[in-house]
Amino acid sequence: VEASIPEPQRDAWKKFQAKPFVSKDDFEKEVVRHVETTLARSMFNCDETAAYAAASLAFRDRLITEWNRTQQRQTFADTKRVYYLSLEFLMGRALDNAMLNVGLKNVAKEGLSELGFRIEDIINQEHDAALGNGGLGRLAACFLDSMASLNFPAWGYGLRYKYGIFKQEIVDGYQVEVPDYWLDFNPWEFPRHDIVVDVQFYGGVRKYQDEDGKNVAVWEGGEIVKATAYDVPIPGFNTPTTNNMRLWSSKAASGEFDFQKFNSGDYESSVADQQRAETISAVLYPNDNLDRGKELRLKQQYFWVAASLYDIVRRFKKSKRAWSEFPDQIAIQLNDTHPTLAIVELQRILIDMEGLDWDEAWTIVTNTFGYTNHTVLPEALEKWSVPLFQNLLPRHLQIIYDINMFFLQSVERKFPGDRDMLGRVSIIEESQPKMVRMAYLAIVGSHKVNGVAELHSDLIKTTIFRDFVKIFGPDKFTNVTNGITPRRWLHQANPRLSELIASKTGGLGFLKDLNILNELEKFADDKEFKKEWAEIKYANKVRLAKYIKSSTGVTVNPSSLFDIQVKRIHEYKRQQLNIFGVIHRYLTIKAMTPNERKKLTPRVSIFGGKAAPGYWMAKTIIHLINNVGAVINKDPDVGDLLKVIFLEDYNVSKAEIITPASDISEHISTAGTEASGTSNMKFVLNGGLIIGTCDGANIEITREIGENNIFLFGNLAEDVEDLRHTHNYGSHTMDTDLVKVFDLIKSNAFGDAGAFGALTGSIEDHGDYYLVSDDFHSYIETQALVDEAYKDQEEWITKTILSVARMGFFSSDRCINEYAEMIWNVEPLPVEKENGLGKEE
Ligand code: GPW
């Protein structure tokens, strides 16, 4: 059905087209209208929740108007688009971001104030959109911000989980998980009940030859689940471009429960189908850097990939272009291996549904996809059992076997007789049961593979994907070092710092061209500037201290050195090294005379992060941190010299308060294990220094800001293998200071030591895989250097200014431009400034 309005009537449409508000009065009018109509309330019962809802709806309407125009513009221009497929989008809050990106926060602030509200209180009403675990999901969110801000025609595709990452509560020092039901009221999504895609599962494949002797495969039977689109507008910063994030929600094909069964009294099974279908998009898997191989997860992956590809292909077909032009019009980026089935699904669409031959289809497929790898940890590399696959996606498994056969034939031609090589690179692992190696499938089906920091991209080429470099040549493998959006992580999280920088660099231009920060170098020794700089840091620490007081009851002195480690809890990230270091500091303080203590630098050690619910060792680390805090925080010998804080439920909105308040932050993974890290970038950009290992992006941060401005310690990635070998087959001698720390733990100083036996044992008795003991001495010594350096505040402040000035490289805008040029081959779609775009300075 033609839904387009005929020419003669279009003038009426144009005349009455929605006009986005610009002025304070128009904003207030919209808020009052939403309170009184959409929300059916009035000035007599408008609480902060209602005011948040109305303000958000006012901004959402505005974004949707720009979203519509952006989509029309992009469709009309008909240039190449990017689709970013990610199972996680860790967006955080939308209102503050929307206000800042469209340049109307001050307008909203005054408007809300006239209506009787403080903007901070309204912003704080919002529930985080937490559809992700950690770095990988937040990277996807930063990328969406950059793609919109740079005017790239780009969509994100993901799943609309009913429950995002769980909320963490700490009860008696233990992590307790509480479901995160966030959709109660979500003004930022736009249900598209007209965009529904059928997704098939299970069933079987019937093969036959048609009249022309062509092999035909039909995937039939099984069950159908419906995918409904929910669109979330993504506003660019200071540009009308408003891109789209499309999230799919699952429903039973019938849409309703089975009335037949219901009427015959079979209540339970009448809703069972419906529930089973809705389960697909019900909950985000809470594992970070871990693959558990669960069937429901594979179902999520196919559901999301099939709906997204159907949508992408449908849009392409409207253009009536030849299939061979598909990769000229479309780039699809795979955020890790989670969407790798898209490769198989596109091949299936092209050969089974559209009738292309294999080779023609495969050329299109491989030219369309790019694959980003985010880890070398073996336990995180996805593998699916063949029997499970066979049952759920029988046709896809056949296609994978064909892809593998053609691939292995090409390897055989290149390396005749090398049977070992064939076994090593086969997409099918010949184990019991056989497994599909998703990373290998992603490599074979993409034209580019990238890692996320230089060290990591080198490591994948020399370790896990070595053979593939030999097979495809080195040019297929590249690096795109991660970045962060300075809009959220500087302008939004640290408004005062942003304002100061703007005042010295000629406005907010640095938020779109972060290299402008360079101009700050000339203020690194400027007395006045340093004073303002230090005041802002102090104010941010006061803000965090207040938050610590209100959430934990512990009073911390904002003049202390704030030492922060916030990230998912994982043995490889080594929060255990940090807490053992804290215990060592405690022992040192206890052994000192009161006079000696006076020379110490007071420190607050702040931790935050979630453990995967099934990850016992990570939960043990949380337990230890809390118990150590409980003892130290009330020890009168220690007082303000040391406080230990565990902040509950670390998430994006809390990161916005925590990040600007660090003096030092910890990025201390075992060398070679953290692919990149991105919070390292956030902390430095906010005027904090870091202590870190030579791992991930720490190395490039050092190169950019200078080695005098970072505290590096520990063994290098190239030495890890040998050290592990020595632990297991040579002699394993424990660091003597660490032994003292363990002795204190074992004396039940922090509660029943039995609770921590597995943790200390993993280091003393079970090979110390993460090199905690090997790096302990170097860590302690380097922390002592931090204490010393902090005493010279003048020098410290200069270091932080120089560091910020040199962080331009780590903007996610730089990152997106690299993807666009090296991998996607797409160009931005320039826009003229249109009506309604305020630019606040
Ligand atoms: F295992 N990352 C993450 F590679 O946050 F899939 N979750 C994950 O499951 C994985 C990676 C995966 C992180 C990396 O650990 C971090 O080093 C990196 O900065 C981030 O992805 C973004 O690239």
Side-chain angles (χ1 to χ4, degrees):
V1 183
E2 186 54 80
S4 183
I5 303 297
E7 262 323 324
Q9 282 77 38
R10 289 188 186 178
D11 280 346
W13 281 80
K14 284 181 187 152
K15 187 169 155 198
F16 296 116
Q17 231 160 31
K19 289 194 181 48
F21 66 82
V22 202
S23 71
K24 172 174 62 63
D25 285 1
D26 287 346
F27 168 70
E28 287 180 52
K29 197 164 132 191
E30 287 298 290
V31 171
V32 172
R33 180 174 70 81
H34 277 300
V35 169
E36 294 189 345
T37 62
T38 318
L39 305 172
R41 294 201 186 203
S42 73
M43 66 170 92
F44 302 107
N45 64 350
C46 182
D47 56 11
E48 283 173 350
T49 320
Y52 159 70
S56 297
L57 289 166
F59 273 94
R60 185 194 70 166
D61 288 350
R62 207 181 180 294
L63 297 190
I64 283 294
T65 308
E66 292 296 353
W67 180 91
N68 264 321
R69 291 182 185 168
T70 303
Q71 298 318 311
Q72 283 161 23
R73 196 163 52 237
Q74 292 177 358
T75 304
F76 190 71
D78 200 25
T79 52
K80 188 169 182 177
R81 291 193 200 202
V82 182
Y83 296 106
Y84 196 79
L85 268 58
S86 181
L87 210 39
E88 304 189 9
F89 287 98
L90 198 42
M91 303 296 283
R93 288 175 175 161
L95 177 58
D96 201 2
N97 184 248
M99 294 189 301
L100 288 167
N101 276 16
V102 302
L104 290 170
K105 188 169 178 181
N106 285 332
V107 166
K109 183 179 173 169
E110 285 170 29
L112 284 167
S113 162
E114 288 188 7
L115 295 172
F117 296 95
R118 276 174 24 136
I119 194 167
E120 299 78 33
D121 300 333
I122 299 310
I123 288 169
N124 282 331
Q125 295 300 311
E126 185 171 352
H127 196 116
D128 276 35
L131 307 185
N133 276 285
L136 175 141
R138 183 55 230 178
L139 185 75
C142 284
F143 282 5
L144 292 184
D145 183 80
S146 282
M147 292 189 291
S149 297
L150 296 169
N151 301 313
F152 282 104
W155 283 35
Y157 273 108
L159 269 187
R160 181 181 177 269
Y161 303 107
K162 200 162 163 186
Y163 297 93
I165 188 67
F166 63 85
K167 189 172 150 37
Q168 177 193 54
E169 288 179 4
I170 301 296
V171 179
D172 298 332
Y174 293 94
Q175 168 175 298
V176 173
E177 300 95 21
V178 178
D180 167 55
Y181 182 73
W182 68 294
L183 291 171
D184 219 11
F185 176 75
N186 177 14
W188 301 104
E189 63 177 10
F190 218 81
R192 298 280 188 192
H193 295 295
D194 53 329
I195 300 177
V196 180
V197 180
D198 283 353
V199 179
Q200 185 177 356
F201 292 104
Y202 306 105
V205 181
R206 185 164 50 88
K207 285 190 171 173
Y208 63 92
Q209 285 196 335
D210 68 7
E211 311 87 71
D212 312 326
K214 212 177 155 186
N215 291 319
V216 182
V218 187
W219 178 21
E220 55 195 9
E223 77 181 50
I224 303 286
V225 175
K226 287 204 179 296
T228 305
Y230 285 73
D231 287 345
V232 180
I234 308 293
F237 180 81
N238 193 23
T239 170
T241 300
T242 303
N243 280 339
N244 194 27
M245 173 171 72
R246 177 158 287 176
L247 304 179
W248 299 102
S249 177
S250 61
K251 270 213 180 78
S254 64
E256 294 297 336
F257 58 85
D258 187 330
F259 257 110
Q260 211 86 58
K261 286 181 183 169
F262 183 77
N263 286 332
S264 65
D266 190 358
Y267 305 115
E268 267 164 39
S269 86
S270 72
V271 290
D273 287 354
Q274 189 195 7
Q275 277 173 356
R276 198 149 34 105
E278 288 180 6
T279 301
I280 294 175
S281 61
V283 49
L284 166 77
Y285 273 89
N287 302 313
D288 186 87
N289 273 287
L290 178 70
D291 170 49
R292 307 249 283 173
K294 292 274 195 245
E295 174 172 57
L296 180 60
R297 170 82 166 186
L298 186 59
K299 263 187 148 173
Q300 290 187 330
Q301 294 184 348
Y302 182 63
F303 171 80
W304 150 62
V305 153
S308 305
L309 266 183
Y310 183 90
D311 209 39
I312 293 166
V313 168
R314 176 180 56 81
R315 204 167 295 125
F316 174 78
K317 284 170 88 168
K318 278 206 259 180
S319 74
K320 306 251 163 28
R321 288 170 189 265
W323 283 110
S324 59
E325 291 179 54
F326 194 89
D328 305 329
Q329 290 300 105
I330 292 162
I332 303 179
Q333 192 64 27
L334 307 174
N335 196 22
D336 213 85
T337 53
H338 316 148
T340 301
L341 274 170
I343 288 167
V344 190
E345 178 69 357
L346 183 57
Q347 182 72 4
R348 186 185 74 88
I349 291 171
L350 295 177
I351 62 174
D352 287 359
M353 323 289 278
E354 303 293 340
L356 276 68
D357 1 311
W358 180 278
D359 289 341
E360 199 185 352
W362 189 242
T363 303
I364 293 168
V365 169
T366 51
N367 286 324
T368 299
F369 290 99
Y371 156 51
T372 305
N373 171 280
H374 298 263
T375 189
V376 296
L377 299 184
E379 67 272 27
L381 299 177
E382 286 190 301
K383 287 177 185 178
W384 293 106
S385 111
V386 165
L388 188 150
F389 219 112
Q390 162 72 44
N391 182 43
L392 190 70
L393 300 164
R395 178 60 184 144
H396 293 78
L397 187 63
Q398 289 176 348
I399 293 172
I400 290 172
Y401 270 96
D402 286 344
I403 292 170
N404 196 34
M405 179 186 71
F406 291 124
F407 168 60
L408 292 180
Q409 282 171 357
S410 78
V411 175
E412 170 69 29
R413 280 195 297 276
K414 194 152 184 189
F415 301 96
D418 193 341
R419 307 252 345 141
D420 285 353
M421 165 84 95
L422 293 183
R424 287 200 306 271
V425 301
S426 173
I427 294 169
I428 306 298
E429 179 183 275
E430 296 294 327
S431 46
Q432 197 51 254
K434 290 183 181 161
M435 303 291 260
V436 185
R437 297 157 158 167
M438 299 307 271
Y440 294 4
L441 178 55
I443 296 171
V444 173
S446 302
H447 67 285
K448 283 275 181 195
V449 177
N450 75 284
V452 290
E454 272 179 26
L455 174 70
H456 169 67
S457 297
D458 287 344
L459 280 175
I460 60 178
K461 283 199 275 184
T462 52
T463 61
I464 53 176
F465 302 151
R466 231 182 109 181
D467 290 319
F468 292 88
V469 177
K470 285 194 216 144
I471 293 164
F472 292 109
D475 292 350
K476 179 161 179 164
F477 296 83
T478 183
N479 171 248
V480 183
T481 298
N482 281 167
I484 56 171
T485 170
R487 272 78 62 178
R488 182 174 294 257
W489 297 113
L490 183 51
H491 192 44
Q492 185 177 320
N494 202 341
R496 281 191 62 192
L497 193 64
S498 181
E499 201 182 327
L500 176 62
I501 295 169
S503 75
K504 298 294 178 188
T505 60
L508 293 178
F510 70 97
L511 292 172
K512 278 244 175 130
D513 178 2
L514 204 60
N515 288 317
I516 289 176
L517 287 178
N518 248 305
E519 294 174 21
L520 295 178
E521 288 218 18
K522 61 174 178 282
F523 299 103
D525 289 312
D526 179 317
K527 248 185 124 193
E528 239 346 271
F529 184 82
K530 284 174 75 177
K531 194 166 153 256
E532 281 182 69
W533 187 269
E535 268 169 23
I536 292 168
K537 175 60 75 179
Y538 187 77
N540 288 330
K541 288 168 72 178
V542 169
R543 177 167 72 150
L544 180 59
K546 281 188 186 146
Y547 179 71
I548 289 172
K549 178 77 190 176
S550 72
S551 59
T552 68
V554 180
T555 308
V556 300
N557 183 346
S559 302
S560 313
L561 187 160
F562 277 20
D563 173 344
I564 306 183
Q565 188 178 18
V566 282
K567 51 184 85 230
R568 287 296 291 252
I569 313 293
H570 208 297
E571 287 166 278
Y572 88 79
K573 295 178 190 282
R574 296 201 297 190
Q575 285 91 355
Q576 70 278 38
L577 176 59
N578 185 344
I579 194 64
F580 295 152
V582 168
I583 297 173
H584 176 267
R585 181 175 292 265
Y586 178 55
L587 281 170
T588 311
I589 294 171
K590 294 292 271 187
M592 282 176 162
T593 65
N595 256 337
E596 287 171 324
R597 285 180 190 153
K598 283 192 189 123
K599 292 186 206 120
L600 290 175
T601 305
R603 203 184 265 245
V604 184
S605 277
I606 300 163
F607 294 82
K610 296 173 187 180
Y615 190 174
W616 287 106
M617 198 66 94
K619 289 183 153 180
T620 302
I621 294 170
I622 292 176
H623 186 198
L624 179 62
I625 295 168
N626 281 300
N627 283 17
V628 168
V631 170
I632 294 180
N633 294 345
K634 65 173 195 327
D635 188 327
D637 289 346
V638 176
D640 267 0
L641 292 179
L642 182 58
K643 288 276 180 271
V644 183
I645 304 295
F646 190 93
L647 290 173
E648 197 173 66
D649 198 39
Y650 176 61
N651 63 14
V652 172
S653 57
K654 281 169 194 156
E656 290 166 19
I657 298 169
I658 295 167
T659 318
S662 82
D663 293 306
I664 199 103
S665 64
E666 308 215 11
H667 309 277
I668 58 176
S669 47
T670 311
T673 62
E674 188 71 276
S676 160
T678 44
S679 74
N680 42 6
M681 303 166 190
K682 293 167 197 167
F683 281 106
V684 179
L685 186 62
N686 280 280
L689 299 184
I690 65 184
I691 178 168
T693 44
C694 294
D695 200 18
N698 290 354
I699 296 170
E700 287 148 89
I701 292 175
T702 308
R703 188 191 305 155
E704 293 293 311
I705 69 176
E707 58 186 1
N708 292 331
N709 300 317
I710 189 164
F711 297 91
L712 291 176
F713 74 96
N715 283 286
L716 302 179
E718 61 208 51
D719 300 321
V720 170
E721 210 185 288
D722 284 351
L723 284 164
R724 283 179 181 158
H725 188 86
T726 313
H727 295 175
N728 291 320
Y729 305 102
S731 68
H732 185 211
T733 39
M734 288 278 294
D735 178 90
T736 49
D737 285 321
L738 187 59
V739 170
K740 289 176 193 154
V741 168
F742 282 14
D743 286 344
L744 189 63
I745 294 173
K746 288 174 192 168
S747 75
N748 299 327
F750 307 110
D752 178 13
F756 311 115
L759 178 58
T760 52
S762 71
I763 295 160
E764 291 178 306
D765 310 323
H766 298 113
D768 191 12
Y769 189 77
Y770 296 102
L771 276 52
V772 173
S773 179
D774 305 83
D775 283 346
F776 195 69
H777 186 70
S778 171
Y779 177 66
I780 295 299
E781 276 194 326
T782 307
Q783 283 287 21
L785 294 179
V786 173
D787 289 322
E788 276 314 296
Y790 196 69
K791 287 178 183 161
D792 186 349
Q793 274 296 301
E794 283 308 314
E795 185 59 27
W796 184 280
I797 295 162
T798 296
K799 282 179 193 287
T800 63
I801 296 170
L802 286 175
S803 299
V804 173
R806 297 167 183 175
M807 283 298 285
F809 180 76
F810 299 99
S811 169
S812 46
D813 294 352
R814 184 268 312 153
C815 201
I816 287 301
N817 281 322
E818 287 183 10
Y819 277 98
E821 199 175 312
M822 296 196 309
I823 300 176
W824 301 335
N825 193 26
V826 292
E827 311 241 310
L829 185 61
V831 283
E832 291 160 39
K833 280 258 160 169
E834 289 172 23
N835 58 334
L837 255 139
K839 190 180 169 195
E840 289 182 348
E841 298 261 312

